[in-house]
Amino acid sequence: MVLNNIEKLLEKYDNGETTLQEEQQLKNYFSQETVAPHLEMYKPMFAYFSKSSKEQFTKQVPLKTKSSLYYKWLSVAAVGVLMFGFFYNSSINNTDEYTQTEKELAYQQVKESLHFVSKQLNKGTEKVSYLGIINTAGTQVDYLKEFNHPLRRIFKN
């Protein structure tokens, strides 16, 4: 009867349905020296659980951490660098103003450069335009493949 009860408790334990009292019964049973032979595999597991529950952490953990001023001064320095950068950037933007003629000259130069690139690109596409003809001819070749499958033509699959 006791063995039947232990087997039922083990099944509940495996499913995670046991209470603390039932788990204590299992620990007590497997702490004995005589255990049923077909339940021997559970003995090391429960022996480990009982041993590990007695372990305690003995190392001292410091409750107060050291506050370092290094990070505080680093953040102050970062703010200073950012402020200097904003000030320096605004002073540069005020001195570099282009005249209208310089802007128009730059626009014309960019326009000429892009026109030159466009001409060169068109020359390159003319040399490979025959690939488009081959591509359209490829669809005609696909129609020839249908002659290899006469059943498809008959049953229109």
Side-chain angles (χ1 to χ4, degrees):
M1 183 68 179
V2 173
L3 187 60
N4 239 355
N5 188 24
I6 293 297
E7 288 176 350
K8 287 180 183 177
L9 286 177
L10 275 174
E11 187 175 333
K12 284 178 68 176
Y13 183 80
D14 287 339
N15 292 331
E17 300 169 350
T18 55
T19 62
L20 292 177
Q21 291 82 15
E22 292 170 338
E23 288 180 16
Q24 189 60 41
Q25 288 176 357
L26 286 172
K27 286 180 186 177
N28 291 338
Y29 176 76
F30 286 108
S31 65
Q32 300 173 2
E33 292 208 19
T34 56
V35 177
H38 67 283
L39 299 177
E40 280 288 326
M41 60 186 164
Y42 289 102
K43 192 172 181 178
M45 180 175 72
F46 283 100
Y48 171 76
F49 290 152
S50 64
K51 183 180 177 184
S52 66
S53 66
K54 295 175 185 174
E55 290 179 358
Q56 291 185 354
F57 187 72
T58 58
K59 188 175 179 181
Q60 293 293 329
V61 178
L63 297 178
K64 221 175 192 183
T65 59
K66 296 178 182 178
S67 63
S68 67
L69 294 175
Y70 176 72
Y71 292 111
K72 292 177 185 177
W73 283 111
L74 185 64
S75 62
V76 169
V79 168
V81 167
L82 286 174
M83 289 178 64
F84 177 74
F86 288 134
F87 174 74
Y88 186 71
N89 189 21
S90 65
S91 67
I92 288 177
N93 285 342
N94 291 337
T95 58
D96 285 342
E97 291 187 16
Y98 295 107
T99 62
Q100 188 65 21
T101 56
E102 289 174 337
K103 290 178 183 179
E104 289 175 5
L105 179 64
Y107 173 73
Q108 290 300 326
Q109 289 175 347
V110 168
K111 190 175 174 182
E112 289 173 6
S113 299
L114 290 176
H115 184 68
F116 176 74
V117 169
S118 174
K119 277 185 183 179
Q120 297 302 321
L121 185 63
N122 288 337
K123 282 182 187 177
T125 54
E126 286 174 3
K127 292 181 180 179
V128 291
S129 63
Y130 66 89
L131 292 177
I133 296 169
I134 292 174
N135 190 22
T136 57
T139 57
Q140 293 172 355
V141 173
D142 288 337
Y143 291 126
L144 294 176
K145 290 180 184 176
E146 289 184 23
F147 288 112
N148 292 334
H149 304 288
L151 293 177
R152 285 187 186 169
R153 285 187 291 138
I154 294 171
F155 297 113
K156 298 188 182 201
N157 286 337

